[in-house]
Amino acid sequence: MFTPVETSIGAFLLHEATTTLLYQNGNVLGASGLLRQLFSHPTRETLTFFAGMAASLLPLKFFLPDLVVEYPVVPTTLSAAVMSVGIGALVGWGTKLAHGCTSGHMLCGLSRLSPFSLTAVATFFPVALLTHHIAHPSLYTSACPSTTTPCYTPTYPSKDTLSTLLLLATLVTLAGRYLPSLIASATTNPKTTRSKAIPASSSAIAPARLTTRFLSGLTFGLGLQITGMAHPSKVLSFLSFPNMQVWDPSMGLVILFGIVPNLVEIQMRGFGKPPMFNSKFEFPVRSFRDVDWKLVLGSAAFGVGWGLSGTCPGPAVLRAMRQPVWGLLWVGGFWAGGKLVRD
């Protein structure tokens, strides 16, 4: 069902996760790239980010159990296992070819006004929509269990849930913005100034960078779960448009309260000064000249996988932590699919 309050707050946390990592460590939060790094050449920062994502379940479980995502039971048939591996491989191959997925291109790329990311999103979104309509002609999803109440009918949290949710979002936001700086102040030479370039490999700022990674992962995981985007049915319900009976417009609020704040902050702050804990921003600058058949084909392949399952790499990580057998199949396919693309 449509959850405007929870989704809006969760979307703002997605904004915080991506811009905090960008302006403190100089990195783009691209879930597919990070997941690939985890298996190809893991680093402390990569491991710390995923540790943060894993930790995001704890505050929800203890304080907001109603917001913990309950995933569908994993089928134990051979055909279901092959399907999980196949979709994972399609997403892995597509995101490797297209250099990103929903987080890297949609959340981070669009807000930087990247023509490369705009092309990717303009490809995988309609392909996912079309794929969902073809593969699931009934358009039924478990996110809309009622056959009489339209899925776009809003539901609202109780006052206690809302107050707890706002408190959690505030604490996580403040921690992400200020805790790494406090740690940096305690571990670096007081004579060091922002005018001096600090390389990412500097041992003096390593604790601050790791803290940023952990808190970005934590905030990102919370955002995915609170918005409901971690649940495949929630995503598929959005892709059911224009069938209004089963359409859940929640993802539209992710665009409004996740991408738009990213856009505003990036346009206001720009990239004239280096990030807090790095000497430079580490993301590729691509124009329309860089758009090629690989980007379009890879984005389309990812769109097919996303439209079939409602799962992209970020939510897949969270589900894999809760359902390891499914995770072994999907992530294994993702890794294998990516290996088919030459670096």
Side-chain angles (χ1 to χ4, degrees), residues 28 94 250 336:
V28 169
S250 295

Side-chain angles (χ1 to χ4, degrees), residues 188-266:
T188 57
N189 190 325
K191 296 181 180 180
T192 300
T193 64
R194 286 290 305 277
S195 61
K196 296 181 179 180
I198 304 176
S201 59
S202 172
S203 59
I205 61 166
R209 287 183 60 85
L210 288 175
T211 303
T212 297
R213 283 277 183 162
F214 179 84
L215 291 174
S216 294
L218 173 69
T219 308
F220 186 61
L222 284 172
L224 289 175
Q225 294 178 86
I226 292 171
T227 58
M229 295 301 107
H231 200 299
S233 292
K234 189 85 166 174
V235 175
L236 293 177
S237 292
F238 181 81
L239 296 177
S240 296
F241 182 85
N243 188 315
M244 303 304 290
Q245 185 65 28
V246 294
W247 180 57
D248 182 344
S250 295
M251 192 186 294
L253 294 179
V254 174
I255 297 173
L256 182 61
F257 292 99
I259 297 176
V260 172
N262 272 5
L263 174 65
V264 171
E265 182 163 357
I266 288 174

Side-chain angles (χ1 to χ4, degrees), residues 117-133:
S117 291
L118 176 61
T119 303
V121 175
T123 302
F124 68 64
F125 225 116
V127 169
L129 187 76
L130 181 62
T131 300
H132 174 57
H133 279 256

